[in-house]
């Protein structure tokens, strides 16, 4: 036949070879029967449900709450009324702190009025460094008499003396200087006021007086410890509370000479002077820096022609740029002054900046003329801009011109010859700016931004003891003036009085139980910065140590509530408005690995008399309902005494931290004593106590149920069920062990070491929060990730929980959550038993391999949760990992099919690694002592600075702690390792779509096709995934959870976007008062030669250290 192809005998081997060489996709595929997978999922899900319902007792608890529904009331919370009530209570509390400070101010000013200065005064006082110190003859050293110290819970268990204050001085201030002795003697009058204030308001913490001469009187008295080199660098005059109270808002232009004559030590002193000035600025101030030599340039070109807010980020950015300045060329100061006056005038006329004080800081080693023409044109006759001049170096040839500039522009002139002179000389400008306020006797009350109390032991145990956002505090402060008529025109500032207010105390006034499962309260400042928020994370981990982030107290509200993209919430709160806003939000939980989708209602108002605003957030639905039950005290008290019961110890059922006799009581003990009448003085929240009594009665049968199960447990069946637990919306918890306590796999669970598993001031337990957003009766399975498991090994336990809902008049509330903790081994054992067909299975109706088992080499079987984390895999090392990292091909297909979806999240408080550079841009301000030693190092050797510069962060209100160690490493050890710095990141979270019960598909993997089947496990958040193991699909990249830094600096046009972002001025509310000038001030008191009273210790310190 024509065209017929005849195959000869030689062709048979070739045909066989061709068939053998066919790609796998051309051969028969491994088929996974869908019916088989569904039957496995049903069998496994049924057995799992049986185990967890039995051992948690969830059905019994649901029945008990169902039985009491007729007696329950569900009240809808009025969010606006709630936030107003909380605000009024906070205002009242803060007013008491203000009154305490006002009494101290009055006492200090009266004491000064009645004190006559005595230059030869001899006076012994309690020096906090020297107290209880003895010499070789066992006699107390001078200024170091016996000072009784006892641990006090109210003061974080520090050793304190609550009957007396003591005095701290920086090492560079001589402790017997006549000014110091007279000031200390005068301020002795504050001791009885400190004690009286504390007796009137036992919630007060630290009270203090910071003197303009440099001493710091602190109550209660403590032992102040120097660093390893015997140095105390803390100077109260550097603290934000002192500077804010001493001056009004400031617009500052720093003008620095970088001509060739400034090379060497002069440039070092000039840089340190700039950095010291920057550290006297705060959130309410605005600043820019101009450098001049042959031409004038802004050290940050992006800030050309403007002023920027002196927040922490901008100050640190300027410090980095200052560090890079180099001296060369010839100085042209007149152009720099002209540019500075123009900027200040433009901002003033446009209603921008601080709208109060304006000043130019001229830092130079000389001026060949007085530049009178510039001042005539831009500043006279009104002299709205003060000019402060700093003559660098010992040369006095040009001193008259430099002084004339300051004296004729209401400023102050100083000469700075050494690094040790910088601190005292820079502080002079603050005294000048304070004159108008002092002459007027305007006692403005100021409140600081949030800061971390570094007087507390900086230990991981402390940081872990409470929520990060509750470690912070604010200070209320007021200036103290001389009221003597003879010095009125000089406007003498004696110092500043202050008292600390832990934000934890404020948040106690917004009880957690009134805010629902996901609700919270937060506070922000007039500048939009967070004061307190449960999502504020001020700490980061460096190695094994927790440290404050460099920008921890300048986190903007828009960086936490980042879905408020139009900043409607931020704007309203900064403007002090009262109102309401609803917003859909994505809430990250479990360290960002999971997300809850909520609709939140935001209620906000201002706190009168403060620059703060309060927000209260309630999640829509069950989050806006409060359950009210009723039971007798007798019945409830009986059930409260059961041994398996505990209460949230961070919640305030009864106030136990005021009366010393109550401080040792747990909240449960306090409630019981209140109900029995043993402690009639206890003040308790009766509504919350009533809720606890009701829940105690409803949940009481669970104890007997769990106990019966534990006694009848067979060692052969259900080995691996370790614990049952429940929690109610009133913070009541019950738990029971099914194994001996020594056999518990996760001993941190339900303890203070695992804050996510218990009720805290910040949040409900994670297992409760997740269960509340899952259908009632359906269980949430959570696996501890590899990073979080004990010992850092593979996960060992699974936490299972479900919500218990009640419904009254069509309103549904979450009354409780209940669950069990089981060993992962139990889950795995049940899984592998269910994932196989018996050998005698009828395979006639099935299309695919039969009988089939997950143990077969041709299959990979996974149990994953609704966020894609693996609970069970053939390979134990994959347990706890994200499925996409294990099998990118199947995860990609599931995403394409909609069974999982990717959710992009943002973290504006992240810390990112940056490559090592020798010069650290985050270098903190050196104290004057270390600056002085740096000069000695410049003259002598690197050895001295090696000894001294390490660990020089201040002891009180330190802002530089996070960087101290990094500076030492970068400057001296030259270790080539990455450092961490604040950054913005975006990261993915993957979420399962529960509406899709099952799916399957084929993936083209090049030379093969890979089949997969996904099946939902009923009554759970789990998914069964069966995939073809024979087909290599590694051509698909893994799907990862890695966070990526959001880059704002990009080539070309994108740099303009970066610049625009830096220049943008966010809305802020200015302070209410301004004291810029006063007609009676003595403008001729404008400085002269520097006269610093230096401690003898400081003089000999370099030599002493060199001799060590």
């Amino acid at each position: 036949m024509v065209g017929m192809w005849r195959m000869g005998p030689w062709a048979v081997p070739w045909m066989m070879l061709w068939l053998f060489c066919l790609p796998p996709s051309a051969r028969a595929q491994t088929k996974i029967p869908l019916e088989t997978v569904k039957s496995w999922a049903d069998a496994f899900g049924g057995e799992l449900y049986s185990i967890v319902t039995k051992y948690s007792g969830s059905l019994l608890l649901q029945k008990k709450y169902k039985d009491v529904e007729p007696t329950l009331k569900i009240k809808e919370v009025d969010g606006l009324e709630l936030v107003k009530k909380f605000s009024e209570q906070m205002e009242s509390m803060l007013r008491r702190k203000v009154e305490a400070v006002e009494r101290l101010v009055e006492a200090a000013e009266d004491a000064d009025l009645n004190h006559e200065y005595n230059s030869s005064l001899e006076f012994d006082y309690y020096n906090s460094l020297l107290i209880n110190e003895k010499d070789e003859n066992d006699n107390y050293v001078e200024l170091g008499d016996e000072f009784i110290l006892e641990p006090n819970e109210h003061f974080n268990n520090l050793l304190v003396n609550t009957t007396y204050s003591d005095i701290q001085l920086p090492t560079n201030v001589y402790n017997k200087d006549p000014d110091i002795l007279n000031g200390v003697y005068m301020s002795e009058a504050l001791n009885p006021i400190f004690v009286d204030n504390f007796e009137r308001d036992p919630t007060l913490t630290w009270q203090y007086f910071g003197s303009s001469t440099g001493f710091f009187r602190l109550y209660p008295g403590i032992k102040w410890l120097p660093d390893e080199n015997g140095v105390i660098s803390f100077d109260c005059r550097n603290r934000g509370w002192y500077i804010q109270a001493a001056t009004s808002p400031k617009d500052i232009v720093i003008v620095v000479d970088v001509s060739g004559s400034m090379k060497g030590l002069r440039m070092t002193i000039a840089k340190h002077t700039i950095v010291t000035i920057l550290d006297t600025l705060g959130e309410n101030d605005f600043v820019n820096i101009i450098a001049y030599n042959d031409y004038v340039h802004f050290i940050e070109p992006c800030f050309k022609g403007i002023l920027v807010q002196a927040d922490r980020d901008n100050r640190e950015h300027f410090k980095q740029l200052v560090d890079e300045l180099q001296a060369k060329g010839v100085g042209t100061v007149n152009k720099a002054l002209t540019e500075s006056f123009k900027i200040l005038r433009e901002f003033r006329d446009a209603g921008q900046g601080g709208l109060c004080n304006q000043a130019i800081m001229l830092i130079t080693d000389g001026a060949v003329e007085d530049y009178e023409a510039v001042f005539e044109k831009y500043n006279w006759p009104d002299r709205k801009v003060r000019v402060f001049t700093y003559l660098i170096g010992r040369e006095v040839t040009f001193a008259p011109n430099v002084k004339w500039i300051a004296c004729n522009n209401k400023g102050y002139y100083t000469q700075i010859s050494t690094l040790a002179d910088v601190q005292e000389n820079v502080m002079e400008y603050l005294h000048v700016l304070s004159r108008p306020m002092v002459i007027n006797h305007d006692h403005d009350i100021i409140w600081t931004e949030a800061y971390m109390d570094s007087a507390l032991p900086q230990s991981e145990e402390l940081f872990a003891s409470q929520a990060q956002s509750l470690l912070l505090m604010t200070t209320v402060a007021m200036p103290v003036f001389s009221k003597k008529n003879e010095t009125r025109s000089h406007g003498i500032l004696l110092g500043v009085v202050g008292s600390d207010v832990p934000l934890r105390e404020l948040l106690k006034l917004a009880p957690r139980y009134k805010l629902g499962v996901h609700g919270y309260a937060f506070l922000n400042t007039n500048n939009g910065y967070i004061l307190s928020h449960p999502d504020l994370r001020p700490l980061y981990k460096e190695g094994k140590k927790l440290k404050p982030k460099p920008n921890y107290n300048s986190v903007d509200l828009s960086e936490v509530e980042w879905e408020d993209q139009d900043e409607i919430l931020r704007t309203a709160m900064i403007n002090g408005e009262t109102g309401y806003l609803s917003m859909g939000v994505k809430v990250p939980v479990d360290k960002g690995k999971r997300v809850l989708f909520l609709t939140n209602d935001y209620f906000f108002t201002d706190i009168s008399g403060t620059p703060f605003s309060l927000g209260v957030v309630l999640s829509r639905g069950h989050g806006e309902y409060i359950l009210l039950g009723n039971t007798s005290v007798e019945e409830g008290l009986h059930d409260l005494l059961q041994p398996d019961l505990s209460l949230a110890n961070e919640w305030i059922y009864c106030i136990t931290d005021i009366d010393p006799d109550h401080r040792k009581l747990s909240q449960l003990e306090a409630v019981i004593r209140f109900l029995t009448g043993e402690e009639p003085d206890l003040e308790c929240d009766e509504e919350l106590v009533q809720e606890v009594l009701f829940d105690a009665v409803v949940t009481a049968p669970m104890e007997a149920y769990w106990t019966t199960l534990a006694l009848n447990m067979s060692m052969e069946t259900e080995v691996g069920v370790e614990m049952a637990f429940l929690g109610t919306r009133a913070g009541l918890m019950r738990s029971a062990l099914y194994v001996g306590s020594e056999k518990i796999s996760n001993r941190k669970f339900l303890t203070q070491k695992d804050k996510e598993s218990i009720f805290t001031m910040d949040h409900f337990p994670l297992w409760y929060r997740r269960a509340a957003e899952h259908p009632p009766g359906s269980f949430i399975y959570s696996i501890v990730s590899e990073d979080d498991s004990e010992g850092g090994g593979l996960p060992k336990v699974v936490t299972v929980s479900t919500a218990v809902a009640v419904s009254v008049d069509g309103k549904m509330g979450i009354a409780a959550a209940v669950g069990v903790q089981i060993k992962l081994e139990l889950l795995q054992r049940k899984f592998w038993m269910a994932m196989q067909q018996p050998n005698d299975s009828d395979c006639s109706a099935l299309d695919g391999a039969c009988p089939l088992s997950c143990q077969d080499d041709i299959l990979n079987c996974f149990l994953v949760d609704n966020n894609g984390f693996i609970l069970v895999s053939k390979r134990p090392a994959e347990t706890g990992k994200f499925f996409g990292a294990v099998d990118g091909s199947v995860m990609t297909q599931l995403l394409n099919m909609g069974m999982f979806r990717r959710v992009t999240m943002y973290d504006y408080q992240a810390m990112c690694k940056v490559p090592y550079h020798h010069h650290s841009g985050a270098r903190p301000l050196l104290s004057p002592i270390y600056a002085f030693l740096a000069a000695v190092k410049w003259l002598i050797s690197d050895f001295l600075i090696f000894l001294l510069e390490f660990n020089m962060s201040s002891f009180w209100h330190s802002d530089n702690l996070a960087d101290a160690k990094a500076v030492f490493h970068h400057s001296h050890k030259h270790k080539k390792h990455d450092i961490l710095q604040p950054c913005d990141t975006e990261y993915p979270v993957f979420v399962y779509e529960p509406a899709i019960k099952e799916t399957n598909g084929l993936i083209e993997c090049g030379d093969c096709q890979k089949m997969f089947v996904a099946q939902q496990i009923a009554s759970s958040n789990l998914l069964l995934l069966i995939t073809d193991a024979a087909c290599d699909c590694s051509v698909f990249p893994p799907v990862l959870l890695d966070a990526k830094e959001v880059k704002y600096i990009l080539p070309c046009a994108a740099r303009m976007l970066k610049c625009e972002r830096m220049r943008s001025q966010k809305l802020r509310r200015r302070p209410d008062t301004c004291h810029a000038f006063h007609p009676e001030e003595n403008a001729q008191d404008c400085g002269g030669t520097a006269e610093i009273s230096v401690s003898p210790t400081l003089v000999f310190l370099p030599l002493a250290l060199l001799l060590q």
Side-chain angles (χ1 to χ4, degrees):
M1 185 178 292
V2 178
M4 180 177 287
W5 177 61
R6 297 175 64 89
M7 182 171 64
W10 51 269
V12 175
W14 284 106
M15 176 64 73
M16 293 176 64
L17 181 62
W18 176 75
L19 288 170
F20 180 77
C21 294
L22 276 175
S25 58
R27 303 197 303 267
Q29 299 297 310
T30 301
K31 291 187 177 180
I32 306 169
L34 306 185
E35 298 86 347
T36 301
V37 176
K38 187 175 188 317
S39 67
W40 286 352
D42 291 343
F44 176 66
E47 183 159 13
L48 214 52
Y49 183 78
S50 174
I51 292 171
V52 295
T53 51
K54 175 181 177 181
Y55 288 98
S56 68
S58 60
L59 298 178
L60 173 62
L61 189 61
Q62 286 168 3
K63 180 181 182 304
K64 291 300 177 184
Y65 272 103
K66 191 74 177 173
D67 291 345
V68 297
E69 274 185 4
T71 68
L72 269 176
K73 292 182 181 178
I74 294 185
K75 183 177 75 173
E76 191 166 353
V77 178
D78 185 329
L80 274 178
E81 285 302 312
L82 195 65
V83 76
K84 289 176 185 177
K85 179 183 175 183
F86 290 167
S87 172
E88 289 168 3
Q89 292 173 340
M90 290 180 181
E91 178 192 346
S92 176
M93 175 201 173
L94 296 177
R95 182 65 218 167
R96 292 197 299 272
K97 314 305 178 192
V98 171
E99 289 169 356
V101 168
E102 287 174 335
R103 286 192 287 270
L104 290 169
V105 169
E106 184 180 1
E109 292 184 347
D110 288 346
D112 175 71
L113 188 62
N114 296 320
H115 174 73
E116 187 173 335
Y117 186 87
N118 180 359
S119 59
S120 58
L121 177 67
E122 292 185 9
F123 173 67
D124 285 337
Y125 59 90
Y126 290 115
N127 184 305
S128 61
L129 177 66
L130 302 174
I131 53 172
N132 300 327
E133 295 288 327
K134 293 186 177 182
D135 58 22
E136 61 275 9
N137 298 319
D138 203 34
N139 297 319
Y140 287 110
V141 299
E142 191 176 21
L143 303 182
D145 208 348
E146 182 182 13
F147 195 74
I148 297 172
L149 298 170
E150 297 175 331
N152 191 305
E153 286 183 40
H154 187 64
F155 295 94
N156 303 291
N157 285 315
L158 288 176
L159 295 171
V160 300
N161 184 319
T162 54
T163 61
Y164 217 74
S165 63
D166 59 3
I167 302 295
Q168 176 272 338
L169 298 108
T171 302
N172 65 323
V173 175
Y174 180 38
N175 59 25
K176 286 204 166 185
D177 182 283
D179 288 346
I180 297 295
L181 289 177
N182 276 270
V184 171
Y185 180 80
M186 176 273 293
S187 65
E188 286 283 298
L190 297 180
N191 274 311
I193 312 302
F194 284 141
V195 176
D196 181 58
N197 279 344
F198 190 41
E199 289 175 351
R200 290 188 192 204
D201 181 5
T203 66
L204 277 173
T205 57
W206 307 101
Q207 303 173 67
Y208 39 84
F209 170 63
S211 166
S212 61
T213 58
F215 75 82
F216 182 61
R217 182 178 287 279
L218 176 65
Y219 174 87
I222 64 169
K223 173 74 172 175
W224 208 287
L225 299 176
D227 65 15
E228 60 188 18
N229 295 309
V231 172
I232 292 180
S233 58
F234 170 80
D235 189 326
C236 62
R237 297 167 297 177
N238 282 340
R239 302 304 100 191
W241 52 266
Y242 185 99
I243 293 164
Q244 275 184 253
T247 63
S248 296
K250 307 174 282 296
D251 293 343
I252 301 287
V253 178
I254 301 172
V255 178
V256 58
D257 183 352
V258 291
S259 62
S261 61
M262 289 286 289
K263 284 183 179 179
L265 183 58
R266 288 183 180 182
M267 196 71 233
T268 303
I269 294 172
K271 289 179 179 180
H272 184 40
T273 302
I274 297 172
V275 171
T276 305
I277 292 170
L278 287 173
D279 275 357
T280 64
L281 306 180
E283 297 172 1
N284 293 318
D285 304 320
F286 287 76
V287 67
N288 206 335
I289 302 177
I290 293 175
Y292 70 90
N293 43 26
D294 298 313
Y295 62 97
V296 173
H297 68 278
F298 292 82
I299 69 168
E300 170 51 78
C302 182
F303 295 160
K304 183 177 181 179
I306 66 168
L307 299 173
V308 295
Q309 191 174 7
D311 58 25
R312 181 180 297 272
D313 286 346
N314 284 334
R315 294 199 311 266
E316 291 302 317
H317 183 62
F318 275 129
K319 288 179 192 178
Q320 180 177 359
L321 297 172
V322 166
D323 191 46
E324 297 167 0
L325 290 175
Q326 295 181 348
K328 59 183 177 181
V330 180
T332 53
V333 67
N334 57 327
K335 292 180 180 178
L337 288 171
T338 299
E339 187 70 24
S340 302
F341 278 118
K342 284 181 178 179
I343 295 172
L344 293 169
R345 184 177 63 190
E346 287 172 8
F347 254 59
R348 184 171 65 241
D349 293 347
Q352 295 177 301
L355 295 184
C356 191
N357 288 294
Q358 290 196 320
I360 294 171
M361 310 300 209
L362 176 60
I363 301 168
T364 181
D365 63 348
V368 295
E369 58 173 295
D370 56 24
Y371 307 105
E372 183 175 348
V374 175
F375 301 121
E376 275 188 349
K377 182 175 182 180
Y378 292 101
N379 203 36
W380 296 351
D382 295 337
R383 291 174 170 82
K384 291 181 178 179
V385 179
R386 297 181 189 264
V387 182
F388 296 88
T389 56
Y390 301 89
L391 182 63
I392 306 298
R394 298 188 181 279
E395 180 61 53
V396 295
T397 304
F398 300 110
N401 285 339
V402 178
K403 182 175 180 180
W404 184 94
I405 291 171
C407 293
N408 283 277
N409 290 280
K410 292 187 176 180
Y412 200 88
Y413 157 78
T414 61
Q415 184 169 3
I416 305 176
S417 304
T418 70
L419 283 163
D421 296 342
V422 172
Q423 178 67 37
E424 293 292 336
N425 283 297
V426 166
M427 294 305 296
E428 291 294 345
Y429 98 85
L430 294 175
H431 298 153
V432 174
L433 292 186
S434 71
R435 284 176 189 165
M437 178 173 59
V438 176
I439 294 170
N440 261 344
H441 281 203
D442 290 321
H443 290 94
D444 292 344
I445 300 163
I446 68 97
W447 293 89
T448 69
E449 73 279 7
Y451 65 86
M452 202 164 292
D453 185 0
S454 55
L456 301 179
Q458 299 294 335
S459 66
E460 194 160 347
E461 290 75 21
L462 168 71
F463 290 148
S465 67
Q466 54 186 272
Q468 286 195 23
S469 61
L470 300 176
L471 287 166
L472 305 178
M473 55 177 48
T474 181
T475 288
V476 56
M478 290 177 66
V480 179
F481 312 137
S482 171
K483 295 196 290 188
K484 295 176 180 177
N485 287 328
E486 61 269 26
T487 59
R488 177 179 170 84
S489 65
H490 292 274
I492 296 176
L493 176 74
L494 298 176
V496 173
V497 160
S499 181
D500 293 344
V501 182
L503 296 175
R504 183 184 184 86
E505 297 301 316
L506 269 182
L507 269 297
K508 286 179 180 178
L509 300 175
R512 194 69 198 74
Y513 77 97
K514 290 190 176 182
L515 306 178
V517 180
H518 306 297
Y520 55 90
F522 66 94
L523 296 156
N524 66 285
T525 71
N526 60 301
N527 286 296
Y529 294 139
I530 289 295
L531 198 68
S532 179
H533 192 290
D535 292 335
L536 179 65
R537 306 190 314 276
L539 303 175
Y540 76 102
K541 207 162 191 176
E542 186 176 83
K544 293 185 177 180
K545 291 186 178 180
L546 284 168
K547 293 185 173 184
K549 294 175 182 174
N551 62 337
Y552 75 88
N553 61 355
S554 57
V555 176
D556 197 86
L557 178 63
S558 61
E559 295 174 326
V560 178
E561 299 290 349
W562 52 267
E563 277 155 320
D564 178 29
Q565 293 182 1
D566 295 327
E567 299 193 356
I568 298 172
L569 174 67
R570 183 185 186 277
T571 301
M573 293 189 71
I574 286 176
N575 289 333
E577 297 173 13
T578 298
Y580 153 84
L581 174 71
S582 184
M583 193 160 52
V585 297
K586 299 186 283 286
V587 181
V589 295
D590 199 9
K591 300 181 179 178
K593 294 194 290 288
R594 310 179 193 280
V595 63
L596 300 176
F597 298 92
L598 305 173
T599 299
N600 281 347
D601 291 329
Y602 292 79
F603 305 92
F604 47 85
T605 190
D606 70 326
I607 301 177
S608 181
T610 76
F612 308 142
S613 290
L614 169 68
V616 165
V617 180
L618 303 175
S619 59
R620 188 75 61 85
H622 61 78
E624 297 189 331
Y625 297 133
I626 284 186
L627 277 60
L628 301 175
N630 197 17
T631 190
S632 68
V633 171
E634 293 76 15
E635 187 180 9
L637 186 58
H638 173 269
D639 292 324
L640 269 181
L641 295 171
Q642 292 177 345
D644 69 325
L645 184 145
S646 63
L647 296 182
N649 218 39
E650 290 187 18
W651 289 19
I652 310 301
Y653 300 85
C654 299
I655 297 174
T656 59
D657 59 351
I658 294 180
D659 188 331
D661 293 335
H662 297 157
R663 286 184 187 145
K664 293 181 180 179
L665 297 177
S666 69
Q667 284 296 319
L668 179 56
E669 291 168 338
V671 168
I672 291 171
R673 294 194 182 195
F674 169 72
L675 293 172
T676 58
E678 290 181 54
E679 295 282 353
D681 296 335
L682 270 170
E683 185 179 337
C684 299
D685 185 328
E686 294 191 18
E687 182 181 328
L688 179 55
V689 170
Q690 180 58 44
E691 287 188 27
V692 164
L693 287 173
F694 180 78
D695 285 346
V697 172
V698 177
T699 61
M702 299 299 289
E703 182 193 29
Y705 176 85
W706 290 334
T707 302
T708 302
L709 276 181
L711 293 174
N712 295 322
M713 273 186 79
S714 166
M715 295 305 292
E716 288 76 30
T717 62
E718 323 313 356
V719 174
V721 181
E722 296 192 337
M723 175 192 297
F725 55 87
L726 68 84
T728 76
R729 88 282 188 210
L732 178 148
M733 289 188 66
R734 292 182 185 271
S735 61
L737 297 182
Y738 290 124
V739 296
S741 57
E742 73 283 354
K743 294 182 180 179
I744 291 290
S745 301
N746 183 4
R747 292 175 185 167
K748 292 181 181 178
F749 188 65
L750 303 185
T751 72
Q752 287 289 329
K753 291 183 178 179
D754 182 6
K755 305 287 277 189
E756 289 290 313
S757 70
I758 61 173
F759 292 91
T760 69
M761 279 188 71
D762 260 354
H763 55 69
F764 274 55
L766 180 58
W767 48 265
Y768 195 123
R769 297 177 69 191
R770 293 189 67 204
E773 296 310 306
H774 210 59
S778 180
F779 285 85
I780 285 280
Y781 292 76
S782 302
I783 187 167
V784 178
S785 70
E786 186 175 344
D787 294 337
D788 300 328
S789 61
E790 288 192 46
L794 292 174
K796 296 178 181 177
V797 293
V798 176
T799 303
V800 190
S801 59
T802 187
V804 177
V806 292
S807 185
V808 178
D809 298 331
K811 299 174 183 175
M812 190 196 79
I814 303 296
V818 61
V820 288
Q821 192 158 84
I822 62 177
K823 292 186 76 168
L824 182 59
E825 181 188 320
L826 170 63
L827 196 70
Q828 292 169 333
R829 190 168 67 249
K830 296 296 181 184
F831 181 83
W832 298 121
M833 287 173 61
M835 303 298 134
Q836 58 185 352
Q837 289 175 304
N839 290 329
D840 58 353
S841 300
D842 180 6
C843 299
S844 58
L846 294 176
D847 180 21
C850 183
L852 197 63
S853 168
C854 268
Q855 301 291 355
D856 295 342
D857 292 339
I858 59 172
L859 294 183
N860 279 328
C861 300
F862 302 93
L863 183 67
V864 302
D865 68 15
N866 59 320
N867 296 113
F869 291 97
I870 299 171
L871 283 81
V872 180
S873 168
K874 279 184 180 179
R875 295 167 288 277
E878 293 173 352
T879 307
K881 294 186 182 301
F882 178 61
F883 178 72
V886 172
D887 192 331
S889 63
V890 175
M891 191 68 204
T892 300
Q893 193 67 11
L894 291 174
L895 287 166
N896 292 338
M897 298 170 77
M899 196 163 201
F900 274 90
R901 61 189 173 104
R902 177 191 176 110
V903 180
T904 300
M905 304 289 287
Y906 295 92
D907 183 0
Y908 296 103
Q909 302 177 68
M911 296 291 287
C912 296
K913 288 183 179 180
V914 292
Y916 164 82
H917 292 292
H918 176 60
H919 295 290
S920 169
R923 183 162 60 194
L925 168 64
L926 296 173
S927 73
I929 302 153
Y930 300 102
F932 174 72
L933 295 176
V936 179
K937 172 246 182 183
W938 183 76
L939 295 169
I940 304 174
S941 71
D942 285 340
F943 176 67
L944 178 61
I945 206 72
F946 172 82
L947 291 173
L948 291 182
E949 200 173 354
F950 179 54
N951 194 25
M952 302 314 276
S953 58
S954 59
F955 180 61
W956 188 270
H957 301 190
S958 167
D959 293 333
N960 301 317
L961 179 63
D963 296 319
K965 198 166 186 179
V967 176
F968 175 70
H969 283 261
H970 295 177
S971 300
H972 307 295
K973 288 193 173 179
H974 308 306
K975 286 188 176 179
K976 293 186 178 180
H977 58 77
D978 290 335
I979 59 172
L980 295 172
Q981 71 174 19
C983 64
D984 301 340
T985 61
E986 67 174 34
Y987 62 96
V989 176
F990 295 89
V991 181
Y992 168 64
E993 178 51 64
I996 303 176
K997 304 296 183 185
E998 57 188 32
T999 191
N1000 65 88
L1002 287 173
I1003 305 170
E1004 292 291 342
C1005 302
D1007 56 0
C1008 67
Q1009 288 182 321
K1010 180 175 186 174
M1011 184 176 183
F1012 69 91
V1013 180
Q1015 180 73 48
Q1016 190 181 84
I1017 307 291
S1019 301
S1020 77
N1021 65 324
L1022 301 177
L1023 191 69
L1024 172 61
L1025 275 172
I1026 312 292
T1027 70
D1028 177 3
C1031 180
D1032 180 8
C1033 227
S1034 56
V1035 291
F1036 282 82
V1039 179
L1040 302 176
L1041 296 175
D1042 297 346
K1044 295 181 179 179
E1045 183 176 359
V1046 178
K1047 295 285 188 180
Y1048 297 103
I1049 295 183
L1050 295 171
C1052 306
R1055 290 186 180 176
M1056 297 300 294
L1057 295 175
K1058 161 71 174 177
C1059 180
E1060 196 60 37
R1061 184 173 181 269
M1062 292 173 68
R1063 289 173 64 96
S1064 65
Q1065 305 284 333
K1066 280 185 174 287
L1067 177 72
R1068 53 186 294 275
R1069 187 170 84 239
R1070 291 183 180 87
D1072 296 329
T1073 58
C1074 169
H1075 309 283
F1077 297 102
H1078 195 285
E1080 294 180 28
E1081 69 175 277
N1082 180 10
Q1084 295 310 305
D1085 181 8
C1086 55
T1089 56
E1091 295 178 1
I1092 308 295
S1093 178
V1094 179
S1095 163
T1097 308
L1098 180 62
V1099 173
F1100 295 109
L1101 183 61
L1103 293 176
L1105 287 170
L1106 283 172
L1107 293 172
Q1108 285 183 354

